[in-house]
Amino acid sequence: MIIIPAIDIIDGKPVRLYQGDYNKKEIVAEDVFDTSKNFEDLGAQWVHLVDLDGAKKGKLVNSNIIIKVAQSLSIPVEVGGGIRNFADIKYLIDNGVSRVILGTSAMEDENLLKKALREYGEKIAVGIDCKDGYAYGRGWLQESSIHYIEFAKRLEKLGGKNIIVTDISKDGTLDGPNVDMLHELKKEVSMNITASGGIRDISNIKALKEIDVYGAITGKAIYAKTLSLEEAIKVTREE
């Protein structure tokens, strides 16, 4: 399992939200680039960037800083938030982003998803953001009638290799990830599953390692210092 530290971006600054609520944001660091570089220096294998302005507006907003990070780090960067057309996917990958995360567009535009998977394969991940078992889109503001397991199965049939699963009710709460939900999903699909949302401490990392997910995204726990990134990386590398 790999640990992927996260930076959510609003107005060019690293922030954290509580349960995806844009009205409950806190700035957690001064600079996106410096924070990314620090994660790399601590041994992170990937960095996860989310353009929260983009997720809300449905188009890339903070692309300048995202591209700067992607081109400056020696570790790969994955990016999500507001990526709703093929031109943006191509722009990000052409400029150094290693993996593009589709969320709303994967739910609403199957043709775009198919084209992206056909052209870029494993460089595409799909974010399954859900609450009470159902997927949400448009920056977590819009509920769908798609159950998360059915959505994941559909993605696998289309050739998806990577999914990032977030229980919105857990995100930013430090209440622990929804391990049961992830465990159920693992029984149904063979894609790489990255867990996101709710991670508080090293016990949560161990619980996710136990069910053998591909990765774990953590942000607030690192900023709140309830989780040491270095310790988390060390634990996941132990046999």
Side-chain angles (χ1 to χ4, degrees):
M1 188 175 92
I2 61 171
I3 300 294
I4 310 175
I7 304 172
D8 292 349
I9 308 167
I10 291 180
D11 297 330
K13 291 283 186 185
V15 303
R16 291 305 295 166
L17 303 185
Y18 180 82
Q19 296 183 333
D21 188 338
Y22 283 73
N23 296 315
K24 295 177 182 174
K25 74 169 185 186
E26 66 170 309
I27 294 173
V28 292
E30 270 306 301
D31 184 83
V32 172
F33 176 74
D34 290 348
T35 305
S36 303
K37 189 74 182 72
N38 183 50
F39 289 154
E40 179 184 45
D41 292 343
L42 291 172
Q45 292 164 274
W46 280 80
V47 170
H48 175 88
L49 301 179
V50 180
D51 185 344
L52 285 177
D53 295 310
K56 203 170 186 181
K57 293 183 179 177
K59 61 180 183 180
L60 286 171
V61 175
N62 292 288
S63 55
N64 287 348
I65 183 64
I66 287 166
I67 295 301
K68 180 186 176 186
V69 170
Q71 292 182 348
S72 301
L73 298 190
S74 61
I75 57 173
V77 170
E78 63 180 22
V79 175
I83 303 162
R84 311 261 168 91
N85 60 65
F86 190 79
D88 284 350
I89 297 169
K90 186 176 188 307
Y91 169 74
L92 290 168
I93 291 174
D94 284 353
N95 284 281
V97 170
S98 295
R99 191 152 60 207
V100 169
I101 303 157
L102 303 180
T104 301
S105 56
M107 277 198 294
E108 297 182 355
D109 189 345
E110 193 168 289
N111 287 331
L112 173 64
L113 177 60
K114 284 178 178 174
K115 184 177 182 183
L117 289 170
R118 191 169 61 243
E119 291 286 325
Y120 294 116
E122 293 194 11
K123 289 182 180 244
I124 302 296
V126 175
I128 302 180
D129 305 320
C130 50
K131 190 154 61 172
D132 302 323
Y134 288 88
Y136 273 64
R138 303 198 171 271
W140 298 357
L141 303 174
Q142 185 174 310
E143 185 182 4
S144 79
S145 59
I146 307 170
H147 191 268
Y148 79 100
I149 288 178
E150 295 311 311
F151 188 26
K153 284 180 171 179
R154 194 171 92 197
L155 294 171
E156 189 161 50
K157 276 185 183 168
L158 292 172
K161 305 290 186 194
N162 297 290
I163 50 174
I164 296 168
V165 182
T166 306
D167 181 342
I168 297 167
S169 67
K170 296 279 190 180
D171 190 74
T173 64
L174 301 179
D175 283 344
N178 192 332
V179 176
D180 291 341
M181 183 179 92
L182 295 160
H183 192 46
E184 286 305 307
L185 183 57
K186 257 196 83 66
K187 294 176 191 173
E188 301 290 340
V189 296
S190 57
M191 292 183 284
N192 285 338
I193 298 171
T194 297
S196 171
I199 291 170
R200 175 184 175 81
D201 56 28
I202 201 68
S203 69
N204 299 150
I205 299 299
K206 289 174 179 175
L208 290 170
K209 187 184 177 190
E210 189 73 24
I211 63 167
D212 194 29
V213 291
Y214 162 77
I217 291 170
T218 176
K220 189 167 185 178
I222 296 170
Y223 302 117
K225 295 185 167 46
T226 59
L227 177 71
S228 156
L229 177 58
E230 289 166 292
E231 185 186 6
I233 292 166
K234 182 170 177 283
V235 162
T236 58
R237 287 178 173 167
E238 291 169 352
E239 291 301 322

